[in-house]
Amino acid sequence: MKNALGSVDSVLLLGGRSEIGLAVVERLVRDGARRVVLAARGDAAAIGVRLKDLGAEVLVLDFDAERPETHERVVAAAAEFAGDLDVVVAAFGVLGDQAAYEADPVSAARSMAVNLGGHVSAGLFAARRLREQGHGTLVVLSSVAGVRVRRVNFVYGAAKAGLDGFAQGLGDALHGSGARVMVVRPGFVIGRMTAGMRPAPMATTPEAVADAVAGGLRAGAETVWVPGRLRAVFTVMRALPRAVWRRVPR
Protein backbone atom coordinates (compact mmCIF):
# COMPACT_ATOMS: atom_id res chain seq x y z
CA MET A 1 0.00 0.00 0.00
CA LYS A 2 1.28 3.43 -0.90
CA ASN A 3 1.82 5.56 2.18
CA ALA A 4 1.11 9.27 2.39
CA LEU A 5 4.07 11.63 2.15
CA GLY A 6 6.08 11.38 5.33
CA SER A 7 4.42 8.16 6.51
CA VAL A 8 7.01 5.38 6.72
CA ASP A 9 6.14 1.77 7.54
CA SER A 10 9.07 -0.15 6.03
CA VAL A 11 12.78 0.69 5.87
CA LEU A 12 15.80 -0.95 4.26
CA LEU A 13 19.19 0.14 5.61
CA LEU A 14 22.08 -0.61 3.28
CA GLY A 15 25.01 -0.50 5.65
CA GLY A 16 23.38 -1.97 8.71
CA ARG A 17 26.37 -1.27 10.96
CA SER A 18 26.47 2.45 10.13
CA GLU A 19 26.10 4.57 13.24
CA ILE A 20 24.33 7.32 11.27
CA GLY A 21 22.20 4.83 9.36
CA LEU A 22 21.07 3.09 12.54
CA ALA A 23 20.23 6.45 14.13
CA VAL A 24 18.06 7.27 11.10
CA VAL A 25 16.28 3.93 11.27
CA GLU A 26 15.72 4.22 15.02
CA ARG A 27 14.18 7.65 14.50
CA LEU A 28 11.87 6.29 11.80
CA VAL A 29 10.85 3.39 14.05
CA ARG A 30 10.07 5.81 16.85
CA ASP A 31 7.95 7.70 14.32
CA GLY A 32 5.99 4.58 13.39
CA ALA A 33 7.99 2.35 11.03
CA ARG A 34 7.36 -1.30 11.84
CA ARG A 35 9.29 -3.42 9.31
CA VAL A 36 13.04 -2.95 9.11
CA VAL A 37 15.68 -4.72 7.04
CA LEU A 38 19.30 -4.25 8.08
CA ALA A 39 21.72 -5.19 5.30
CA ALA A 40 25.19 -5.53 6.78
CA ARG A 41 28.45 -7.34 6.14
CA GLY A 42 29.12 -10.43 8.23
CA ASP A 43 27.32 -11.67 11.34
CA ALA A 44 25.13 -8.76 12.42
CA ALA A 45 22.32 -10.54 14.25
CA ALA A 46 22.77 -8.43 17.37
CA ILE A 47 22.38 -5.03 15.72
CA GLY A 48 18.61 -5.23 15.43
CA VAL A 49 17.89 -5.93 19.10
CA ARG A 50 17.27 -2.29 20.02
CA LEU A 51 14.88 -1.85 17.11
CA LYS A 52 12.97 -4.96 18.13
CA ASP A 53 12.69 -3.56 21.64
CA LEU A 54 11.05 -0.49 20.08
CA GLY A 55 8.43 -2.69 18.44
CA ALA A 56 9.83 -3.26 14.95
CA GLU A 57 10.01 -6.52 13.04
CA VAL A 58 13.65 -6.84 11.95
CA LEU A 59 15.33 -8.93 9.27
CA VAL A 60 19.13 -8.94 8.97
CA LEU A 61 20.64 -9.71 5.57
CA ASP A 62 24.23 -10.17 4.50
CA PHE A 63 25.37 -7.24 2.36
CA ASP A 64 28.81 -6.62 0.85
CA ALA A 65 29.28 -3.30 -0.93
CA GLU A 66 32.22 -4.77 -2.86
CA ARG A 67 30.06 -7.51 -4.44
CA PRO A 68 27.65 -5.67 -6.75
CA GLU A 69 26.48 -8.95 -8.28
CA THR A 70 24.72 -9.71 -4.95
CA HIS A 71 22.91 -6.39 -4.53
CA GLU A 72 19.85 -7.26 -6.58
CA ARG A 73 19.22 -10.29 -4.35
CA VAL A 74 19.51 -8.16 -1.21
CA VAL A 75 16.89 -5.68 -2.43
CA ALA A 76 14.60 -8.51 -3.54
CA ALA A 77 14.90 -10.29 -0.18
CA ALA A 78 14.15 -7.04 1.65
CA ALA A 79 11.02 -6.50 -0.43
CA GLU A 80 9.92 -10.10 0.12
CA PHE A 81 10.07 -9.52 3.88
CA ALA A 82 8.79 -5.95 4.09
CA GLY A 83 6.55 -5.62 1.04
CA ASP A 84 6.82 -2.19 -0.53
CA LEU A 85 9.93 -0.34 0.64
CA ASP A 86 8.93 3.11 1.83
CA VAL A 87 12.49 4.24 2.56
CA VAL A 88 15.85 2.83 1.52
CA VAL A 89 18.79 4.36 3.39
CA ALA A 90 22.18 4.00 1.69
CA ALA A 91 24.64 4.65 4.51
CA PHE A 92 27.65 2.41 3.93
CA GLY A 93 31.18 3.63 3.39
CA VAL A 94 34.69 3.95 4.78
CA LEU A 95 36.54 7.11 5.77
CA GLY A 96 40.14 5.93 5.62
CA ASP A 97 43.26 8.07 5.89
CA GLN A 98 44.62 10.23 3.08
CA ALA A 99 48.28 9.57 3.92
CA ALA A 100 47.64 5.82 3.98
CA TYR A 101 45.87 6.03 0.62
CA GLU A 102 48.82 7.85 -0.92
CA ALA A 103 51.20 5.24 0.51
CA ASP A 104 49.00 2.40 -0.77
CA PRO A 105 47.04 3.44 -3.88
CA VAL A 106 45.46 -0.02 -4.10
CA SER A 107 43.71 0.58 -0.78
CA ALA A 108 42.54 3.94 -2.12
CA ALA A 109 40.98 2.26 -5.14
CA ARG A 110 39.28 -0.30 -2.91
CA SER A 111 37.78 2.43 -0.75
CA MET A 112 36.48 4.14 -3.91
CA ALA A 113 34.90 0.84 -4.94
CA VAL A 114 32.94 0.84 -1.67
CA ASN A 115 32.19 4.55 -1.33
CA LEU A 116 31.11 5.05 -4.92
CA GLY A 117 30.93 1.82 -6.89
CA GLY A 118 28.89 -0.02 -4.29
CA HIS A 119 26.41 2.84 -4.14
CA VAL A 120 25.97 2.86 -7.91
CA SER A 121 25.00 -0.80 -7.98
CA ALA A 122 22.89 -0.83 -4.81
CA GLY A 123 21.30 2.52 -5.67
CA LEU A 124 20.24 1.46 -9.15
CA PHE A 125 18.73 -1.80 -7.90
CA ALA A 126 16.90 0.03 -5.09
CA ALA A 127 15.66 2.68 -7.52
CA ARG A 128 14.33 0.00 -9.86
CA ARG A 129 12.30 -1.45 -7.00
CA LEU A 130 10.93 1.95 -5.95
CA ARG A 131 10.04 2.80 -9.55
CA GLU A 132 8.15 -0.49 -9.89
CA GLN A 133 6.25 0.28 -6.67
CA GLY A 134 5.47 3.80 -7.83
CA HIS A 135 6.58 5.32 -4.54
CA GLY A 136 9.36 5.37 -1.95
CA THR A 137 12.46 7.39 -1.16
CA LEU A 138 16.12 6.46 -1.54
CA VAL A 139 18.04 8.39 1.12
CA VAL A 140 21.69 8.74 0.10
CA LEU A 141 24.18 9.69 2.80
CA SER A 142 26.55 12.00 0.96
CA SER A 143 28.81 14.55 2.69
CA VAL A 144 29.93 18.16 2.49
CA ALA A 145 33.35 16.59 1.77
CA GLY A 146 32.09 16.01 -1.76
CA VAL A 147 30.68 19.48 -2.33
CA ARG A 148 34.19 20.82 -2.82
CA VAL A 149 37.01 18.35 -2.40
CA ARG A 150 39.84 19.32 -0.03
CA ARG A 151 43.45 18.22 -0.36
CA VAL A 152 43.48 16.75 3.16
CA ASN A 153 40.98 14.02 2.26
CA PHE A 154 40.68 14.12 -1.52
CA VAL A 155 40.26 10.36 -2.04
CA TYR A 156 37.28 10.24 0.30
CA GLY A 157 36.01 13.60 -0.96
CA ALA A 158 36.25 12.51 -4.59
CA ALA A 159 34.16 9.43 -3.85
CA LYS A 160 31.55 11.56 -2.10
CA ALA A 161 31.55 14.04 -4.98
CA GLY A 162 30.88 11.18 -7.38
CA LEU A 163 28.19 9.77 -5.09
CA ASP A 164 26.51 13.14 -4.76
CA GLY A 165 26.42 13.60 -8.53
CA PHE A 166 25.16 10.05 -9.05
CA ALA A 167 22.38 10.54 -6.50
CA GLN A 168 21.26 13.80 -8.06
CA GLY A 169 21.20 12.24 -11.52
CA LEU A 170 19.29 9.22 -10.24
CA GLY A 171 16.76 11.54 -8.62
CA ASP A 172 16.25 13.30 -11.94
CA ALA A 173 15.84 9.95 -13.68
CA LEU A 174 13.12 8.95 -11.18
CA HIS A 175 11.19 12.21 -11.57
CA GLY A 176 7.58 11.52 -12.43
CA SER A 177 7.73 7.87 -11.34
CA GLY A 178 6.43 8.46 -7.80
CA ALA A 179 9.81 7.40 -6.40
CA ARG A 180 12.49 9.90 -5.46
CA VAL A 181 15.98 10.42 -4.07
CA MET A 182 16.91 12.58 -1.08
CA VAL A 183 20.57 13.55 -0.82
CA VAL A 184 21.83 14.16 2.72
CA ARG A 185 24.99 16.25 3.19
CA PRO A 186 26.21 16.17 6.78
CA GLY A 187 29.27 18.05 7.94
CA PHE A 188 31.67 16.50 10.43
CA VAL A 189 29.73 13.87 12.38
CA ILE A 190 31.00 13.03 15.85
CA GLY A 191 30.92 9.26 16.20
CA ARG A 192 32.82 6.00 15.77
CA MET A 193 34.09 6.81 12.28
CA THR A 194 35.66 10.08 13.41
CA ALA A 195 36.85 8.96 16.85
CA GLY A 196 40.12 10.61 17.77
CA MET A 197 39.76 13.36 15.17
CA ARG A 198 39.38 17.03 16.07
CA PRO A 199 35.77 18.05 15.30
CA ALA A 200 35.38 20.59 12.51
CA PRO A 201 33.33 23.76 12.99
CA MET A 202 29.59 23.13 13.01
CA ALA A 203 30.12 19.45 13.86
CA THR A 204 26.96 17.40 14.25
CA THR A 205 25.84 14.03 15.66
CA PRO A 206 24.18 10.91 14.25
CA GLU A 207 21.00 11.82 16.13
CA ALA A 208 20.92 15.30 14.58
CA VAL A 209 21.37 13.76 11.13
CA ALA A 210 18.49 11.38 11.89
CA ASP A 211 16.24 14.26 12.90
CA ALA A 212 17.12 16.12 9.70
CA VAL A 213 16.40 13.06 7.57
CA ALA A 214 13.02 12.55 9.22
CA GLY A 215 12.19 16.20 8.63
CA GLY A 216 13.32 16.00 5.01
CA LEU A 217 11.15 12.96 4.38
CA ARG A 218 8.10 14.75 5.77
CA ALA A 219 8.83 17.83 3.67
CA GLY A 220 9.58 15.93 0.46
CA ALA A 221 13.04 17.55 0.31
CA GLU A 222 15.53 16.71 -2.42
CA THR A 223 18.59 17.85 -0.48
CA VAL A 224 19.21 18.06 3.26
CA TRP A 225 22.24 19.79 4.83
CA VAL A 226 23.19 18.98 8.43
CA PRO A 227 23.33 21.43 10.07
CA GLY A 228 21.27 23.53 7.70
CA ARG A 229 23.56 26.56 7.87
CA LEU A 230 26.23 24.61 5.97
CA ARG A 231 24.27 25.32 2.80
CA ALA A 232 25.19 29.02 3.01
CA VAL A 233 28.76 28.25 4.04
CA PHE A 234 29.39 26.04 1.03
CA THR A 235 27.72 28.46 -1.34
CA VAL A 236 30.62 30.75 -0.45
CA MET A 237 33.25 27.99 -0.41
CA ARG A 238 32.33 26.84 -3.90
CA ALA A 239 33.21 30.30 -5.19
CA LEU A 240 36.65 30.54 -3.58
CA PRO A 241 39.59 30.60 -6.03
CA ARG A 242 41.64 27.40 -5.92
CA ALA A 243 44.69 29.24 -4.61
CA VAL A 244 42.62 30.30 -1.60
CA TRP A 245 40.91 26.94 -1.25
CA ARG A 246 44.25 25.15 -0.92
CA ARG A 247 44.96 27.15 2.20
CA VAL A 248 41.67 26.33 3.95
CA PRO A 249 42.61 24.98 7.39
CA ARG A 250 42.22 21.31 8.05
Side-chain angles (χ1 to χ4, degrees), residues 59-144:
L59 173 68
V60 177
L61 297 174
D62 183 65
F63 172 74
D64 188 340
E66 295 183 274
R67 298 182 61 205
E69 70 278 6
T70 68
H71 295 173
E72 183 176 19
R73 295 197 297 272
V74 171
V75 174
E80 183 177 358
F81 169 77
D84 282 2
L85 300 173
D86 296 321
V87 174
V88 178
V89 181
F92 57 91
V94 292
L95 178 58
D97 177 77
Q98 181 61 40
Y101 288 150
E102 293 181 41
D104 181 7
V106 173
S107 70
R110 286 173 176 159
S111 77
M112 290 285 284
V114 172
N115 289 344
L116 178 55
H119 279 277
V120 170
S121 174
L124 286 171
F125 281 125
R128 178 189 296 176
R129 173 67 192 184
L130 301 184
R131 184 186 286 113
E132 291 171 352
Q133 295 174 178
H135 74 103
T137 302
L138 172 61
V139 177
V140 177
L141 267 294
S142 180
S143 170
V144 297

